[in-house]
Amino acid sequence: MKSILLALLLGALSAFAFQPVDEWLLLPLALAGLCELLFRAPTLRRALALGYAFGFGQFLIALNWIATAFTFQDAMPAWLGWVGVLLVAVYLAIYPMLATGLAWRLCNKRPAAIVLTLAGAWGLTEWLRAGMFTGFAWNPAGVVLADTPWLVSSALIGTYGLSILVVMFAGGLWLASLRKYAGAAGVLGAMIILWLLPPPPTAQAANKSVRIIQPNIGQHERWRPEFTEEAARRIGTLSMDPRGTRPRLLFWPESAVTDPLSDARSDEHQAFAAFERKRAAAIVGPGEFLLTGGIAVNSSDGRRVDSAANSVLILGSGGNMLARYDKAHLLPFGEYLPVRPLLSAIGLSRFAPGEMDFQPGPGPRTIDLGESWGKVGIQLCYEIIFSGEVVDRHHRPDFIFNPSNDAWFGRWGPAQHLAQARLRAAEEGIPVIRSTPTGISAIIDARGALTRVLPWRAAGIIDGPLPPPTAAPTVFARFGNLIPLLLAFGLLIGGIAMGRTRR
C-alpha cells in the first residue's frame, strides 16, 4: 500500500513538469522513482496498481484546467468540474497502468529490461490514448521537452518518440543509482546524439508580414448578445493598420464572430450572414485576407437547421468568402455532448451555448491563398494536439493556422495547448500561427521556437514575419507515427530478449 501511495505522489509531482510550471526534470525524476517501485513489485497486480496510481496523480493535477470550464456554465454547478477532472483522470490512468503492467510482465526482473520495455510501452500506450474513444492526446510525456534542445529531434522521431526518450532518460537515472553504469551510459549516449542532431534547413524566407489579433474577450463576455457590438469594435480596432503597410494577412481567434458567418437557410438568414462577413472584412483591402473563426449553419431545405459547424472562414475584400474549413476533431462537452439522451436527462449540457451539437468536417485541408501568401493548413483549437494528423500529406501547406478559444481553461490549459502546438510545428517542419481571444497567441517557426508571443490575459496584436517551412518535408512528415511506433516495438522486443537472457 505504501508503494502505491508513493507512486500516486510521484505522479502528482510529475504534473509540475508540464506547462505552465515547466520544471521538466520533475517528470524523468518521478519516472525514475516509478522504475524502482516497479522493480520491487512482487506481482503483476501490484505493477498495474503502481502505473495506475502514477497516472491518476499526474492527470488529476495537470488537467485541473478542465474544472475551470464548468465555472462558465450556468446549467452545471462549479463543483461538478472537479468531478469531471476526477473522472477523466480515472480513465486516462489506464494507459500508464498498461505500460507498467506490460513492462513488469516482460522484463523478468532485469533492470535494463525494465527500462527498455517501460519506454516502449509508454510510447505505445500514449499513441493508443490519442486514438481510443475519439482520443485524448493531451500532455504526452514528450511535451515537457518543448523548451529543450531535444525539441528539434521530433522532426525525426515525433512526439511519441520524445515520450520514449523521456522514459529512457528516467531509466538511465535509475540505472545509474543502481550502479548499472553501462546501461546509463548507453541512454546518455543516445540522448547526446539526438541533442546534436542538426535542425532541418528551412526554405528561403519571404518578406511576408502577418497580424494576429488577441482582443482579450473572456468567456463570460463572449456569448452575451449585448456584448456583440463591443467585441466587434474591439477586434476591429486592433485589426486596423495605422501605418498603411499593405497587403496584409489577418488572423482572428476561434469564434471571433458569434453570429453565423455562413448560413444556408432562407434568403434572410443568408443576407444576415453576408452582412456579418462584410462587416468583419471591412478592414480588408485588395490582395488581403482575413482568416477568422466563426459558426456555419447548414440546411438542406432552406428552413430547418440540419447541422452547425465550428469553422474557419477565409474572407477577402468586401466579405467575399474564399474558402471555409469545418473542424473535424470535435471536443467532447465543448462542441458536442456525448451520449446526449442520457447526459441531457440528468441536466448536463455543452459548455458553449446551444442545444445542437456541432457536426465534424472531413479532416485536414490545404487552401491556396495565391502566390503572395502560399498555402495554409487549418487546425481549429483542440485539433492541433493530435500528432501526425494535422496536415493533408498530399498537399503540404506552407504554414498552419490554429485559432483557438482557451478562455475557459484557466491558467494551465492555454500554456499546455501552446506547448503542444510547438510540437506539431517541429514535427512537420511547418510554422504555426495561433490566435486566441485571451491568450496565448503566438508565431511558432518550423523548428518549434516561439518568435512572437502575446501573454495570457492581455489585449494586443502580433505583427511579425511569416516564418518559412523547412526546405523539404521532415522525416516525421513523410512517415508519420510509423517511426515512433517502430521504435516502441523495437524497445519492447529488445527488453524481452534482454529479460530472457542469463544474468
Side-chain angles (χ1 to χ4, degrees), residues 355-373:
E355 294 301 319
M356 177 177 290
D357 291 334
F358 287 123
Q359 295 300 308
R365 178 186 174 195
T366 300
I367 299 169
D368 194 344
L369 300 179
E371 292 185 8
S372 297
W373 300 108

Side-chain angles (χ1 to χ4, degrees), residues 21-37:
V21 182
D22 196 27
E23 295 293 340
W24 75 270
L25 273 171
L26 289 176
L27 181 55
L29 289 172
L31 286 167
L34 181 63
C35 288
E36 176 65 21
L37 295 175

Side-chain angles (χ1 to χ4, degrees), residues 82-103:
W82 284 106
V83 175
V85 176
L86 179 68
L87 292 176
V88 171
V90 164
Y91 163 64
L92 294 179
I94 292 172
Y95 295 96
M97 178 189 76
L98 293 175
T100 55
L102 191 61

Side-chain angles (χ1 to χ4, degrees), residues 19 36 69-70 72 74 100 119 147 232 297 317-318 328 357 427 431 435 477:
Q19 293 286 353
E36 176 65 21
F70 284 75
F72 297 105
D74 293 336
T100 55
D147 282 320
V297 177
S317 179
D357 291 334
E427 283 177 337
S435 176

Side-chain angles (χ1 to χ4, degrees), residues 50 80 104 106 147 203 214 230 261 316 325 389 396 461 485:
L50 290 170
L80 194 59
W104 188 93
L106 298 178
D147 282 320
Q214 182 172 297
E230 169 60 21
L261 286 173
Y325 169 84
E389 301 179 24
R396 185 177 187 243
I461 61 173
L485 287 176

Side-chain angles (χ1 to χ4, degrees), residues 15-321:
F16 298 96
F18 299 94
Q19 293 286 353
V21 182
D22 196 27
E23 295 293 340
W24 75 270
L25 273 171
L26 289 176
L27 181 55
L29 289 172
L31 286 167
L34 181 63
C35 288
E36 176 65 21
L37 295 175
L38 191 60
F39 181 64
R40 296 184 182 187
T43 64
L44 175 60
R45 178 176 293 184
R46 178 64 60 84
L48 291 167
L50 290 170
Y52 191 88
F54 184 93
F56 181 79
Q58 182 186 102
F59 292 121
L60 186 67
I61 302 299
L63 300 182
N64 66 76
W65 52 266
I66 293 176
T68 310
F70 284 75
T71 65
F72 297 105
Q73 175 54 268
D74 293 336
M76 293 180 283
W79 59 264
L80 194 59
W82 284 106
V83 175
V85 176
L86 179 68
L87 292 176
V88 171
V90 164
Y91 163 64
L92 294 179
I94 292 172
Y95 295 96
M97 178 189 76
L98 293 175
T100 55
L102 191 61
W104 188 93
R105 184 67 181 82
L106 298 178
C107 73
N108 201 24
K109 301 293 284 185
R110 297 287 301 272
I114 285 180
V115 173
L116 294 181
T117 53
L118 183 62
W122 205 278
L124 182 60
T125 55
E126 283 195 346
W127 175 78
L128 286 173
R129 172 160 69 91
M132 296 292 289
F133 308 113
T134 78
F136 190 74
W138 201 273
N139 276 1
V143 79
V144 303
L145 300 180
D147 282 320
T148 73
W150 288 290
L151 175 61
V152 295
S153 63
S154 63
L156 173 64
I157 60 176
T159 292
Y160 303 121
L162 289 184
S163 294
I164 290 171
L165 185 63
V166 170
V167 181
M168 289 288 289
F169 180 39
L173 295 176
W174 176 59
L175 290 174
S177 73
L178 298 178
R179 299 184 180 179
K180 305 283 185 181
Y181 296 120
V187 172
L188 180 62
M191 294 195 70
I192 291 175
I193 290 172
L194 288 173
W195 182 313
L196 296 176
L197 278 178
T202 58
Q204 184 176 358
N207 186 24
K208 303 175 182 178
S209 182
V210 302
R211 172 167 287 193
I212 299 171
I213 308 303
Q214 182 172 297
N216 195 27
I217 297 173
Q219 191 64 18
H220 63 288
E221 300 172 315
R222 171 169 301 277
W223 297 101
R224 284 168 36 206
E226 63 272 21
F227 192 75
T228 300
E229 294 301 322
E230 169 60 21
R233 184 199 64 78
R234 193 179 298 182
I235 294 175
T237 300
L238 291 171
S239 301
M240 296 297 288
D241 188 6
R243 296 169 300 178
T245 56
R246 294 183 180 278
R248 298 185 303 158
L249 194 59
L250 290 168
F251 297 95
W252 286 6
E254 179 185 14
S255 301
V257 181
T258 53
D259 289 319
L261 286 173
S262 178
D263 197 326
R265 287 177 290 176
S266 66
D267 291 344
E268 181 182 356
H269 288 96
Q270 293 180 39
F272 184 73
F275 167 77
E276 288 293 335
R277 292 196 301 270
K278 189 172 182 178
R279 180 167 71 164
I283 39 73
V284 176
E288 301 178 349
F289 295 106
L290 165 64
L291 283 73
T292 179
I295 305 299
V297 177
N298 302 314
S299 175
S300 58
D301 60 8
R303 299 188 306 273
R304 185 178 60 250
V305 176
D306 294 332
S307 64
N310 189 4
S311 305
V312 172
L313 292 89
I314 301 179
L315 305 179
S317 179
N320 178 49
M321 184 168 64

